[in-house]
Amino acid sequence: MADSTTEKKEVPENLLPGEERTEDRLLPDQALSGQSLPGQFLPEQPMAEEFLSVRPAADRLFKDQPEKDLAEKETYMSRALALAKEAAKDGEVPVGAVLVWEDGRIIGEGRNRREKDRCALCHAEMEAIKKACRTLGGWRLHKATLYVTMEPCPMCAGAILNARIPRIVFGAPDPKSGAFGSVLDLNAFPLNHKTRVEGGFMNGECSLILSEFFKNLRKSRKKEEG
């Protein structure tokens, strides 16, 4: 007797014409177990310091990439770092973000302004996305890459998925609120869009500016208390 069981067919994702499915889905329990999506490199779990290096596999990946690709990434991440330094000078957590279109144009950039603008929405990624939408005259950023110095939080990760950004490159992992692997992974949930994530690029530089900022902040508070 033939097997009456039938394979459950996967429901296609709601992609726009010309868009391609970027990743295979993982169940939430797989994300929590530390598994990564194809092409995604998740930070190691935090130990003592706020910001730690990602797993060595990510470092090997970047070293194996063509020099041209690495140089391009360094150019855009260096710009994001410059924006992060501007934020630090204003007393903001130093995070910078740059959105690059497929032709190499920077279509939006941003930095943290939460304290200055007194608004919880004023993260670097949110500002960059807003400016990019104005530049293009539309909300679909489906041919852009986001470079950001720190792993996005849940709010920013949600905005990235809603804007249909197909790829992000971040520097330092965020063990307290990172939403692409450190605390949770939005890519692992059954949403109608996913983004390719490359974590740990220029992690040393990105982590250092954050560590120095919080170190100086603690010193200032001690002086005020003492």
Side-chain angles (χ1 to χ4, degrees), residues 66-197:
E67 288 186 15
K68 182 181 178 181
D69 293 345
L70 284 175
E72 186 178 84
K73 284 183 180 180
E74 287 174 3
T75 297
Y76 297 126
M77 188 62 84
S78 294
R79 175 55 188 160
L81 275 167
L83 291 164
K85 289 175 183 177
E86 289 179 14
K89 288 179 182 178
D90 276 350
E92 304 277 357
V93 175
V95 179
V98 174
L99 264 166
V100 182
W101 200 238
E102 64 175 355
D103 59 6
R105 285 181 297 150
I106 292 178
I107 56 172
E109 55 183 34
R111 62 180 179 86
N112 264 355
R113 299 179 190 273
R114 187 169 57 176
E115 301 298 332
K116 186 175 181 180
D117 289 359
R118 299 181 181 182
C119 178
L121 303 179
C122 293
H123 285 198
E125 301 95 318
M126 302 294 282
E127 183 174 71
I129 289 172
K130 186 176 182 179
K131 288 182 178 179
C133 291
R134 286 179 177 173
T135 298
L136 298 178
W139 62 269
R140 291 184 178 90
L141 306 180
H142 61 291
K143 295 181 180 180
T145 296
L146 175 68
Y147 293 84
V148 59
T149 56
M150 187 168 73
E151 181 182 3
C153 69
M155 174 182 71
C156 295
I160 289 165
L161 296 182
N162 277 309
R164 303 295 191 267
I165 296 171
R167 175 175 172 246
I168 75 164
V169 179
F170 73 78
D174 184 354
K176 294 183 178 179
S177 61
F180 281 123
S182 289
V183 177
L184 60 96
D185 183 9
L186 283 191
N187 264 337
F189 292 87
L191 304 174
N192 69 341
H193 179 71
K194 297 184 185 301
T195 184
R196 178 182 173 86
V197 180

Side-chain angles (χ1 to χ4, degrees), residues 210-223:
L210 287 160
S211 296
E212 288 183 343
F213 174 81
F214 287 112
K215 183 180 178 181
N216 293 332
L217 187 63
R218 286 191 291 268
K219 284 182 179 179
S220 298
R221 286 177 178 174
K222 283 183 180 179
K223 285 182 181 179

